[in-house]
Amino acid sequence: MPATALPLHPILSLLSRWWLMCVLVMVLLWAGSLWTQAPDSAPGVRWLGHTLVAAPPDGAPLRREVTLPHSWKPDKLPQHGQGRYLSTFELDAAAVADADRRPWSLRIDRLSHAHTLRLNGHLLHSTLVRPDWLGDPAPALIDLPGGLLRPGLNQLDIEVHSVLQGGLSAPVLAPRADLQGGFLRLNGLTQVTPVVLNIVCLTFSLFVVTLWWQRRQEATAGLFGLLYLIASARNLCYFVTDDVGFPPGVYSWLHLVAHVSTACVQGWFAMAFTQRPMRWFSRLLWAVLITFPLIGLAGLHTDPLLQEVRGTLQPVLIGLLLPSMWVLLNRHNGLRQAPLLGVALGVGSVLTAGLHDFLLIRVVGDVTVGYWMPWAIPMALPAFSIVVLGRVVAAFNDIEQLNANLELKVAERTRELASANAAKSRFLAAASHDLRQPVAAIGLLTDLLRDRLQDPAALELAERLTHAVVSMESLLKGLLDLSRLDSGTVEVHPQRVRLSSLLASITSHEAESARHKGLSLKVRCGDATAWTDPVLLEQVLRNLVGNAVTHTQRGGVRVTVRPRATHWLVQVWDTGRGIPLSDQGRIFEEFVQLGNPGRDRRQGLGLGLAIVQRAVRLLGHEISLRSVPGRGTCFSLWVPRANDEASRPAPGRPPIAPPHAAHAMADRPLAEPDAAQTEAPLNGAVLLVEDEQAIRESLRHLLEGWGMRVSAGPSLAWVRDLPAQPWDLLISDHRLPDGTGRDVVQHLRARQPTLPALIISGDTSPEQLTQLAQSALPVLHKPFRAQKLRAMIQKTMARTET
């Protein structure tokens, strides 16, 4: 389990210990509401009789002596509509005197919300805001104004409008102080407590639905929340005591829709909870959910209150609970015993409450019976909540575990990719080193051969050989540049750079190639001064302009520089064949060449843009690409402006990168100094250490041809065996069989501290390049031409002399 996982078992154990207590408390409250007895009227009050004088459903005249409590349907009357009762009672003088001294009240435990009461012809209380409003029975405590009661015979006229449970319970007349306590207990148990419990259920269901809406991985939680949302809202409608303005038919139809939705959602919840889908049951639920409300709408024309429709459909809805209960009890998914027992009791209580409400209220029509469903739904909540909470917590923990596993796999894959990349770098470095050695020897021998040949035909062959060697050297130089950029040995040296001068140098170099292909090469720069590393920026732009010229067959290439807030926008446009969108992400990879399946060397090696991307990243600049196949390509480079103080780095700090640019990295200029060839003679004693015999002999012949005295050997051990003597120059390969060129320098400088030393190396691995950069020794990378070697020798010896 991940560190962020929720402690599932402690939470469920705690809730499991409390859910039974919560249910027990609700059962006791429920029982208290059922066993509450109405008090007797005060002494001096004698009820003489009760007469039903207007019969439902439309209040037709009738005179029937009844006994209260009286229910309409058992008396073979419609259980909905309006009726009117006349109750007569006698009061003695003492009771009337007591009523004049203190308040008296009339208590009726089952009186419809929609009613009108008159006492001795005077209006006592009325809730009828419109004549067609129908209500449900509930407790009522009505205060009697002083002076309405009189000694002897009194008459109470009660008109009730009932939606379902037509009838009336016996009235009780007594001082308010004697009735108020019992009424508050009755009202609290039968009205307030169910309302509060269902509001709690409604709030909890809204929370669960909201939680599911945010993370929809657990369908059980969503269906559970929806189930309790609908059921709680329907239960709360039973306790609405005011006229909400709905026509009775619409109100009954909405009750039917809520009942149908509750039954169907409970079935889907049972299948989702047990992860046991039953196709036939699901189809049945969908059929019920669609057809039953339509049946209710069709029945409104002949049955405005849907009494017959609901009486026919409700047994079917109750019957839908049986498959749900069977599914829950036969597939408990390894639940613990207590929560499973709670779920079974919850479903059982809902089923029992549904049967009770249907039989005693709708079938029998007993006015003294209250709804059980508003109690059953809250009583089932604790057990269902524990189980669903366990499922939700377990699902969240699974998600956390999957995330943790995914992070581990990503980290593992990252390590594999890093290892593969390192292996690739090592392979390129090793291959580059192994190739550089023979190529360096071939290049040096070619230079020696060309200097000694006189025959024109032989000179032409030597020139072709030189071109082949140059191609191989270009490939190895590209690999070296990539290795140096990846090694972290290249340092960025930002300074003020005039872009016009830099672009003029680049375009003059590429102008001949453009003219040869019939292309125009234009630059629009102006007086733009950037804050950047000139060597790295030149290499980036040289590659971009060179690529544009190479891959453009007609039209031209245009380089523009435009001001943009704190940066210069340098763009290289061409009218070439363009780059498809699917390939634009690949062109910065090594050895990727589009439209060159034959790998024609004249179109390049596929390393230029890989070098550009790495160099731009080190500079801290930003580069982007736009291309339309068939029309051309535009590379855009953002370079900081030199006159923007915010772009200048603080002393000792790296340059500030432009917005959205990659972070700058400390590097060293890639380009090696190009010294002009000089014909000045060289002299002095040179110690040459090179383990490759072909290169050693080629170098010895070159150096001796330039006028130097050469002592050549293959290893560090050979150097250590030499007798002590002064040398004018040391030239050593870096990788030796028994050490490195740095070891040779260290050994000799122990006796001759000012000895000029030049390291030649074919190493391209990041580790070796880092070590060479830290040594501060001049380095000449293989392969190199004779002119480059001669220039480096002159520069190294001149630096020591100064």
Side-chain angles (χ1 to χ4, degrees), residues 31-100:
S33 69
L34 297 177
W35 294 335
T36 301
Q37 298 295 326
D40 295 329
S41 295
V45 179
R46 186 167 66 91
W47 293 94
L48 301 178
H50 309 282
T51 305
L52 181 64
V53 296
D58 53 1
L62 176 72
R63 192 163 189 88
R64 180 182 298 179
E65 299 294 328
V66 297
T67 300
L68 300 183
H70 176 253
S71 300
W72 294 348
K73 190 169 185 180
D75 204 13
K76 303 188 182 307
L77 296 171
Q79 62 177 343
H80 66 278
Q82 63 183 41
R84 182 178 166 212
Y85 292 88
L86 289 180
S87 298
T88 57
F89 60 95
E90 286 183 341
L91 285 178
D92 58 19
V96 174
D98 187 67
D100 290 337

Side-chain angles (χ1 to χ4, degrees), residues 334-413:
L335 292 174
R336 300 174 63 194
Q337 184 175 3
L340 178 60
L341 178 61
V343 171
L345 291 177
V347 176
S349 65
V350 172
L351 179 60
T352 302
L355 289 172
H356 168 273
D357 294 348
F358 173 71
L359 294 175
L360 295 184
I361 295 178
R362 186 166 296 280
V363 177
V364 176
D366 190 349
V367 72
T368 63
V369 175
Y371 285 101
W372 281 14
M373 193 62 74
W375 289 93
I377 292 295
M379 281 194 293
L381 178 64
F384 277 97
S385 300
I386 292 172
V387 176
V388 173
L389 178 62
R391 291 287 299 271
V392 171
V393 172
F396 284 174
N397 286 344
D398 291 342
I399 293 172
E400 296 292 342
Q401 185 64 54
L402 290 175
N403 289 338
N405 293 338
L406 180 60
E407 290 177 1
L408 291 176
K409 290 182 179 179
V410 170
E412 181 180 356
R413 182 60 57 87

Side-chain angles (χ1 to χ4, degrees), residues 594-792:
L594 305 179
N596 186 21
R599 304 297 297 182
D600 185 356
R601 291 196 307 272
R602 291 173 297 179
Q603 298 186 34
L605 302 170
L607 296 176
L609 290 179
I611 294 172
V612 165
Q613 186 186 52
R614 286 163 169 80
V616 169
R617 187 183 298 123
L618 292 176
L619 283 168
H621 300 347
E622 183 181 0
I623 190 170
S624 64
L625 162 67
R626 287 189 297 117
S627 185
V628 179
R631 298 186 60 183
T633 302
C634 174
F635 285 90
S636 299
L637 180 67
W638 282 262
V639 184
R641 299 175 67 168
N643 58 355
D644 183 6
E645 295 297 329
S647 69
R648 299 195 183 191
R653 296 179 63 86
I656 298 174
H660 310 298
H663 293 294
M665 295 174 56
D667 253 1
R668 189 178 184 178
L670 287 176
E672 297 167 349
D674 289 328
Q677 182 179 5
T678 175
E679 298 300 329
L682 298 176
N683 54 63
V686 179
L687 180 61
L688 174 62
V689 185
E690 170 62 61
D691 59 334
E692 287 286 336
Q693 183 177 1
I695 298 178
R696 186 171 65 247
E697 291 301 318
S698 300
L699 287 174
R700 186 175 61 81
H701 286 298
L702 275 176
L703 294 172
E704 289 177 347
W706 292 338
M708 307 191 79
R709 302 184 304 277
V710 181
S711 295
S715 64
L716 175 61
W718 176 81
V719 173
R720 288 173 176 171
D721 291 339
L722 289 175
Q725 59 176 309
W727 301 97
D728 296 306
L729 177 65
L730 167 65
I731 300 177
S732 176
D733 187 20
H734 185 250
R735 182 185 296 186
L736 298 172
D738 52 355
T740 65
R742 293 178 289 111
D743 297 331
V744 175
V745 173
Q746 182 180 6
H747 173 74
L748 294 176
R749 283 185 176 177
R751 294 179 295 188
Q752 188 179 347
T754 61
L755 173 64
L758 173 62
I759 300 295
I760 57 176
S761 175
D763 288 318
T764 58
S765 66
E767 297 82 2
Q768 297 293 336
L769 292 175
T770 301
Q771 294 174 3
L772 285 172
Q774 293 172 350
S775 69
L777 293 170
V779 180
L780 183 60
H781 290 279
K782 302 175 184 176
F784 50 82
R785 309 315 306 273
Q787 296 87 343
K788 174 69 74 174
L789 174 62
R790 184 178 183 121
M792 286 292 291

Side-chain angles (χ1 to χ4, degrees), residues 298-540:
L300 285 174
H301 298 286
T302 58
D303 185 12
L305 295 180
L306 299 179
Q307 299 291 337
E308 296 181 2
V309 172
R310 294 181 66 181
T312 303
L313 299 182
Q314 192 160 348
V316 180
L317 299 177
I318 296 174
L320 290 178
L321 295 176
L322 296 176
S324 302
M325 191 171 183
W326 179 82
V327 169
L328 289 170
L329 294 180
N330 283 273
R331 181 71 178 273
H332 53 78
N333 281 334
L335 292 174
R336 300 174 63 194
Q337 184 175 3
L340 178 60
L341 178 61
V343 171
L345 291 177
V347 176
S349 65
V350 172
L351 179 60
T352 302
L355 289 172
H356 168 273
D357 294 348
F358 173 71
L359 294 175
L360 295 184
I361 295 178
R362 186 166 296 280
V363 177
V364 176
D366 190 349
V367 72
T368 63
V369 175
Y371 285 101
W372 281 14
M373 193 62 74
W375 289 93
I377 292 295
M379 281 194 293
L381 178 64
F384 277 97
S385 300
I386 292 172
V387 176
V388 173
L389 178 62
R391 291 287 299 271
V392 171
V393 172
F396 284 174
N397 286 344
D398 291 342
I399 293 172
E400 296 292 342
Q401 185 64 54
L402 290 175
N403 289 338
N405 293 338
L406 180 60
E407 290 177 1
L408 291 176
K409 290 182 179 179
V410 170
E412 181 180 356
R413 182 60 57 87
T414 301
R415 289 192 297 270
E416 291 176 356
L417 291 175
S419 177
N421 189 57
K424 180 198 72 172
S425 299
R426 289 193 299 270
F427 167 76
L428 289 176
S432 177
H433 176 271
D434 293 342
L435 288 172
R436 285 173 184 275
Q437 298 292 87
V439 171
I442 294 171
L444 293 173
L445 290 172
T446 301
D447 289 339
L448 286 172
L449 181 62
R450 189 173 55 183
D451 290 342
R452 299 185 180 186
L453 289 176
Q454 301 297 328
D455 180 51
L459 283 173
E460 182 181 355
L461 292 176
E463 193 65 30
R464 292 182 182 180
L465 179 60
T466 299
H467 285 310
V469 172
V470 168
S471 297
M472 296 180 68
E473 288 177 347
S474 298
L475 171 61
L476 296 175
K477 184 180 182 299
L479 294 174
L480 174 63
D481 289 343
L482 287 176
S483 297
R484 295 175 69 189
L485 287 167
D486 290 335
S487 69
T489 61
V490 179
E491 295 181 358
V492 176
H493 297 288
Q495 55 187 276
R496 297 175 65 89
V497 178
R498 291 182 61 85
L499 297 182
S500 57
S501 302
L502 187 145
L503 290 173
S505 173
I506 294 173
T507 54
S508 64
H509 183 271
E510 299 292 339
E512 182 61 31
S513 298
R515 282 193 299 271
H516 181 72
K517 299 180 68 173
L519 304 175
S520 63
L521 178 57
K522 299 179 180 180
V523 176
R524 190 180 69 184
C525 180
D527 188 17
T529 305
W531 184 261
T532 185
D533 185 304
V535 177
L536 284 171
L537 182 63
E538 180 180 1
Q539 185 167 29
V540 168

